[in-house]
Amino acid sequence: RWESLHDFLGLYEMALLTGDPKYRQAFTHIWYSILKGDRHNTGGFSSGERTTGNPYDTSSIETCSTVGWIDMSIAMLKLTGNSLVADEIELTTFNANIGGQSPSGSWWTYATPMEGIKEASAHTIHFQCRTGSPELNCCSVNGPRGMVLLSEWALLRSKEGVVLNYYGPSEFKTKTPGGQMLTLHQDTDYPVNGKIALRIGIPRSEKFELKLRIPAWSQKTNVELNGSPISEVKTGSYLSLTRDWKDGDTLSMDLDMS
């Protein structure tokens, strides 16, 4: 059952609390097994609310289950620092999670199929309806949670600096290792296209590491710092840039969307 994902998160917490490698090994093993056997091509998780070992199973891909997968994957990202996990979270968020919302924004699905018709969760699981709140059910409240979880993985901090995982029009504010307020302004139409412009805002120059996620699907990624090309950009990893960052520094990225 998909609810076991919350139990698995207990393994993640135990790994942090005890430092015992067996908890980390168990958690990562389970995550990879779900990725291999139960993550659908939309990024959605579960078939009929459970694991089946078949990513092509056409049973219902429940919204609650998908949001649980995002939650577990965020823990996996923080535990391993593997950019491929962030790729997975992006896939699930942009497709299975947001894809479960109606164009009007007025309802969410119970099941977001790989193919077929999307129905409002209030129709599919109408047995959950209560007087005065006919559209309130498990999936209608978990769907928005998946979008709110963006704040848990979009920008992360490390001892050495910051890690940018999310691409899209945005502005982030966080603290540098030196305690300064850092602003990252992102100007882009991503995922409509792969051109991303980043601008650094910082009161005074400071040396720290900025890591940029280079998606595994972008076979050729071009990155420029203050107009100068950066070499050795490796797909499916983080591009690590450690330097004295100054207010107004710019980074441009061109992801391969082919």
Side-chain angles (χ1 to χ4, degrees):
R1 292 282 305 182
W2 78 270
E3 291 91 346
S4 295
L5 266 61
H6 300 296
D7 299 323
F8 300 151
L9 283 167
L11 295 172
Y12 163 72
E13 297 291 347
M14 289 298 290
L16 297 183
L17 288 168
T18 68
D20 191 327
K22 70 182 179 184
Y23 295 112
R24 176 190 175 98
Q25 181 182 8
F27 182 81
T28 56
H29 176 79
I30 293 169
W31 188 88
Y32 278 114
S33 71
I34 292 174
L35 175 64
K36 182 179 179 180
D38 288 282
R39 192 272 282 156
H40 298 280
N41 58 6
T42 61
F45 163 70
S46 84
S47 301
E49 302 186 21
R50 66 191 189 279
T51 57
T52 65
N54 177 14
Y56 307 104
D57 192 318
T58 56
S59 304
S60 298
I61 306 173
E62 189 192 21
T63 294
C64 290
S65 309
T66 293
V67 173
W69 172 241
I70 294 174
D71 199 16
M72 183 179 179
S73 297
I74 291 171
M76 181 70 171
L77 176 61
K78 292 179 178 180
L79 187 65
T80 65
N82 187 344
S83 69
L84 298 178
V85 180
D87 289 353
E88 287 294 325
I89 300 173
E90 179 187 61
L91 170 68
T92 302
T93 300
F94 278 9
N95 292 277
N97 183 213
I98 297 178
Q101 189 181 39
S102 72
S104 69
S106 60
W107 53 261
W108 291 79
T109 63
Y110 158 75
T112 307
M114 292 179 284
E115 58 180 5
I117 299 172
K118 296 194 300 183
E119 297 180 344
S121 56
H123 297 165
T124 310
I125 49 175
H126 54 81
F127 63 88
Q128 290 192 20
C129 293
R130 295 294 182 270
T131 302
S133 57
E135 295 181 351
L136 192 64
N137 53 65
C138 60
C139 290
S140 69
V141 297
N142 258 324
R145 178 179 176 240
M147 300 177 74
V148 173
L149 282 172
L150 178 67
S151 64
E152 297 291 323
W153 65 273
L155 183 69
L156 299 178
R157 286 195 295 175
S158 67
K159 293 180 180 179
E160 295 77 21
V162 294
V163 184
L164 182 61
N165 290 303
Y166 172 81
Y167 297 127
S170 56
E171 185 171 278
F172 296 103
K173 293 182 182 295
T174 189
K175 291 291 184 69
T176 66
Q180 295 193 79
M181 180 60 69
L182 172 68
T183 301
L184 287 177
H185 181 84
Q186 197 171 159
D187 186 16
T188 178
D189 290 327
Y190 182 86
V192 176
N193 64 62
K195 297 185 182 300
I196 300 163
L198 294 173
R199 187 174 70 252
I200 306 295
I202 191 170
R204 61 184 185 277
S205 64
E206 180 180 336
K207 186 176 182 179
F208 61 88
E209 180 187 47
L210 172 60
K211 296 175 77 172
L212 304 175
R213 178 174 64 91
I214 309 300
W217 46 260
S218 181
Q219 293 301 305
K220 185 178 180 180
T221 303
N222 296 314
V223 181
E224 292 185 355
L225 172 60
N226 294 330
S228 298
I230 294 176
S231 59
E232 298 182 0
V233 179
K234 185 179 178 182
T235 185
S237 64
Y238 285 109
L239 172 62
S240 176
L241 301 171
T242 301
R243 67 188 301 271
D244 281 315
W245 294 98
K246 300 177 180 62
D247 188 54
D249 279 343
T250 61
L251 282 159
S252 63
M253 301 178 64
D254 193 357
L255 301 177
D256 178 7
M257 307 292 281
S258 60

